[in-house]
Amino acid sequence: MNGPRASQTVLLLHAPKQPYQVSEDYATPRIDNGSELLVRTQVIGLNPIDWKAPDFGFGIPVLPYIAGRELVGQVVRTSGSTTRFQEGDQVIVISTDYRDPRKAAFQEYVVASDFNVVRLPPTVNPHAGASLGVAFVAAALSLGVCMGLSFQNIADGPDLLKLVRKLDRNLLSEDIQSDCFDALDITQRAGPGDWIAIWGGSSTTASIASQLARLAGLHVLLIANQAKHGMRLAKDSALRPDLLVDSHDQERAVDIIQGSLGGKLRFGLDTQGRDSAEALGRSMRAREAVIGSIPTPPRTPTTTHLVGLAALPNVPAAGGLIYHRVPIKLFHEVPQVGSAITLWLETLLEKSLIALPDVLAVEEGFSGVNRGLDRMRRGEISGGRAVVDCLGAYIIAMAETLSSPSPYIFGRDHKSSIRLNYQHTLIKTLCNGQLLHPAVHQNIASCSSIRVADVATGTALWLIELSDLLPKHSQLHGFDISSDQYPLKEWLPKNVSLHEHDAFKPFAPEFLGSFDVVNLRFFITLLNEENIRPLLGNLKTLLKPGGFLQWLDFDPRSARAITIRPGLHMPRTESVVSIMREAQPDVDSWLRHHSDLFEAAGLHPIADERVKLRNHLRPIWNHCHIMGMEELSRHMSRNTEGGSDMPSPLLQQIKDLEAEFAQGTSIDAEWFMMIGQTQQ
Ligand SMILES: NC(=O)c1ccc[n+]([C@@H]2O[C@H](COP(=O)([O-])OP(=O)(O)OC[C@H]3O[C@@H](n4cnc5c(N)ncnc54)[C@H](OP(=O)(O)O)[C@@H]3O)[C@@H](O)[C@H]2O)c1
């Protein structure tokens, strides 16, 4: 495995109310003690705090600040022999310690205490794995410490209240001592048969708290927007509450809770805000009335407990109601608590005992964090999570640094040739079997010999097929920077010759001004604003007066994830689309003006057409993507020191993509065909 680099990419917040800025060459954080690990970020899970902190100016201890509270990544360094992790392990990191920038998720390398790390079981998709950690910790501490619910009957989970109460009070930060030691009388802790009401029932924390509470034997009442979430919650047996109350009319919801549960409601969790926390407090008043009005047996609990995750009510607590803030610090400040929670979560994941959050959006690369957070700001992420996949960007960055001088990101082995030939067949079918555009064909049809150059010819299949269609005295020449995929010379048609040549470099004098047609295909991944003009200029030198440049290529701006099943979740397909759209961030600035570029190179545009994918060809196009990703992976592993260092999550991604394609997703796409002619 490659060791960590000395410098890394991070996202910096320079001031409140600003987007995070990508910053390269930032020092890689160091591990300080034997229980710390260094983890390379693969998928970042986004939390509401990541946008609320900069927008409302809280929870930012220092500027510039590195944020980000959870991720999935690969352990790249361990410090002590005591840790249960090894380099190469794929893990979930839960970073509640927002004061330590080394532990923040918005960076390439993250330091984590091993008691805040969970091994990612192979059955858990990294996107889902990156979305549940903070919510799980908040739910476990709210239920387990503030309400005193023991998890011992759920896969031997911890009794957090007992564990905490055995600690030396002075070991804990002062601000959480009271919540941990005084706020709940241990005889009044929550247990099987009790009811809990959770307001903000669509949140990830609510979903996990609800599942844990039900597994522990509690009855759950969820208050949520029923129009938005009712069907989803009703359909999934893991998420279905004992009672669902619509949150639309707050007072009506309070009435329903009081009317349904009377004085039975002793535990409340609010995940929404001050207003709903107050409403939840009012709903719990019925208990007060019951305790006050009728004679009750001696051990009847007299206190009710409301945990406010986002805020506490403004009105003072009264009549036995006690407010709690979740003592989240326990997780990162007390190793016994951190380990108890992470080991238990690992077991729950391994045994598939909890339903994972739905991943509703996948953004790509560190710059995708701002896009994901903007979607959260706009309220688009509801009933699930947004994640940022950094692996795709990592693949491209790796591939680019591996191949020099030009960043050809694919391989050149026989499988690569199969992909190129397969892609050729797809495009030919899309172009109604025509190798030359009708405008070109018409112009050269009457000639008895035609000279054609195919640039970046690859396996030369286009040229070979064309040789059958042209008059027999025609001359066809193929050029490519590598001859690795060329057929043997002996097997080429007599009038086809292949040469090794870099299309960005001047062609040999014997070729200049000698061709009727120059063909260029599948070249766009190598182009940018700087090299497109010199390339066109160079290709033009090959043409005779009145000769044609025919350029067919994929338009990355047209990539779009589509599915035949509305509502189908397709994070991997979306992620590949983001990679395609973002691999060349400047593409729009020059491709939009491609006819101007032709003019500037002295090529008069005579056709500019779009070629759209048709449904019956989608399976072939899907195969092209799978083959392309496999090729990229093989290429990377061959070029990585030590040989077979292909990150296993990459293989997983390819499998996930295949599975999504099989369910009816695809990547919509358009190609463009540009024809330019030199002056007669
Ligand atoms: N104190 C702690 O240590 C701690 C720990 C964890 C979480 N929290 C807090 O607990 C709350 C829930 O966290 P979570 O991660 O479980 O949340 P989440 O999964 O992101 O869900 C939050 C819910 O809020 C609503 N929502 C989404 N975008 C919104 C927007 N722009 N404005 C208003 N509402 C929006 C959505 O519900 P609807 O569409 O149904 O309205 C969404 O389902 C957050 O306030 C979080 O900061 C605190």
Side-chain angles (χ1 to χ4, degrees), residues 471-659:
K472 68 175 188 246
H473 295 301
S474 301
Q475 290 295 314
L476 298 96
H477 292 263
F479 300 89
D480 202 291
I481 194 166
S482 161
S483 57
D484 289 355
Q485 290 170 280
Y486 285 173
L488 290 175
K489 199 169 152 207
E490 290 74 4
W491 293 345
L492 285 172
K494 296 245 166 327
N495 57 353
V496 172
S497 332
L498 301 178
H499 317 269
E500 224 174 56
H501 183 81
D502 178 353
F504 291 103
K505 303 230 167 93
F507 287 87
E510 73 259 31
F511 295 123
L512 300 184
S514 71
F515 290 99
D516 300 285
V517 179
V518 172
N519 183 55
L520 178 73
R521 290 193 315 171
F522 311 143
F523 204 74
I524 196 146
T525 56
L526 296 169
L527 294 177
N528 56 47
E529 180 138 34
E530 268 85 60
N531 65 17
I532 176 75
R533 285 174 186 79
L535 175 82
L536 293 176
N538 200 31
L539 298 185
K540 193 210 159 206
T541 63
L542 293 171
L543 288 170
K544 291 176 180 170
F548 296 93
L549 174 65
Q550 169 174 296
W551 179 21
L552 177 111
D553 228 316
F554 172 66
D555 184 343
R557 300 167 304 172
S558 68
R560 205 163 52 90
I562 56 160
T563 172
I564 52 168
R565 294 176 215 287
L568 182 78
H569 188 39
M570 46 177 176
R572 183 42 56 205
T573 312
E574 282 170 353
S575 165
V576 173
V577 165
S578 314
I579 295 176
M580 292 167 87
R581 295 179 74 109
E582 277 169 41
Q584 291 165 284
D586 71 344
V587 73
D588 188 53
S589 66
W590 50 270
L591 196 52
R592 175 200 293 259
H593 308 293
H594 57 353
S595 50
D596 295 348
L597 292 170
F598 266 50
E599 293 275 18
L603 294 157
H604 176 60
I606 59 163
D608 179 1
E609 289 169 13
R610 308 288 292 181
V611 180
K612 284 188 198 313
L613 193 59
R614 297 196 289 273
N615 273 344
H616 64 280
L617 294 169
R618 289 193 193 283
I620 297 182
W621 180 230
N622 283 359
H623 291 152
C624 289
H625 286 288
I626 297 289
M627 287 191 276
M629 278 185 71
E630 284 173 345
E631 210 174 313
L632 207 58
S633 313
R634 283 197 305 279
H635 186 49
M636 280 171 62
S637 62
R638 262 200 315 276
N639 283 282
T640 311
E641 220 178 303
S644 60
D645 193 22
M646 175 170 17
S648 60
L650 244 181
L651 290 174
Q652 186 58 47
Q653 294 204 8
I654 296 172
K655 278 195 195 141
D656 291 348
L657 181 66
E658 248 183 310

Side-chain angles (χ1 to χ4, degrees), residues 47-49 51-52 134-135 138 202-206 225 228-229 271-272 309-310 326 328 376-385:
N47 278 274
I49 188 80
W51 67 268
K52 287 183 183 170
V134 173
S202 68
S203 72
T204 310
T205 315
N225 180 331
K228 251 187 188 174
H229 305 288
T271 75
Q272 200 171 303
L309 270 182
V326 61
I328 204 90
M376 291 171 74
R377 284 184 177 96
R378 292 194 296 266
E380 288 171 21
I381 309 300
S382 161
R385 281 282 200 233

Side-chain angles (χ1 to χ4, degrees), residues 293-326:
S293 64
I294 49 166
T296 47
R299 296 243 208 110
T300 304
T302 51
T303 54
T304 50
H305 299 267
L306 191 165
V307 183
L309 270 182
L312 286 175
N314 255 341
V315 290
L321 177 61
I322 296 169
Y323 296 155
H324 300 255
R325 282 203 169 79
V326 61

Side-chain angles (χ1 to χ4, degrees), residues 20 50 149 172 294 312 342 383 397 433 453 459 485 656 673:
Y20 296 97
D50 301 328
L149 181 64
L172 307 189
I294 49 166
L312 286 175
T342 47
T459 61
Q485 290 170 280
D656 291 348
M673 169 76 98

Side-chain angles (χ1 to χ4, degrees), residues 50-124:
D50 301 328
W51 67 268
K52 287 183 183 170
D55 284 14
F56 302 114
F58 66 91
I60 306 170
V62 62
L63 285 171
Y65 180 58
I66 308 177
R69 301 278 59 97
E70 59 189 320
L71 64 124
V72 159
Q74 196 161 32
V75 176
V76 290
R77 182 162 287 166
T78 61
S79 53
S81 55
T82 49
T83 181
R84 63 191 186 93
F85 296 100
Q86 288 181 354
E87 288 177 18
D89 286 349
Q90 205 184 13
V91 292
I92 298 171
V93 175
I94 307 166
S95 164
T96 50
D97 190 358
Y98 74 101
R99 290 184 178 277
D100 187 344
R102 299 174 312 138
K103 295 182 174 167
F106 295 174
Q107 56 191 328
E108 211 179 331
Y109 294 101
V110 171
V111 172
S113 300
D114 61 359
F115 53 87
N116 291 156
V117 172
V118 176
R119 204 181 296 282
L120 184 81
T123 46
V124 175

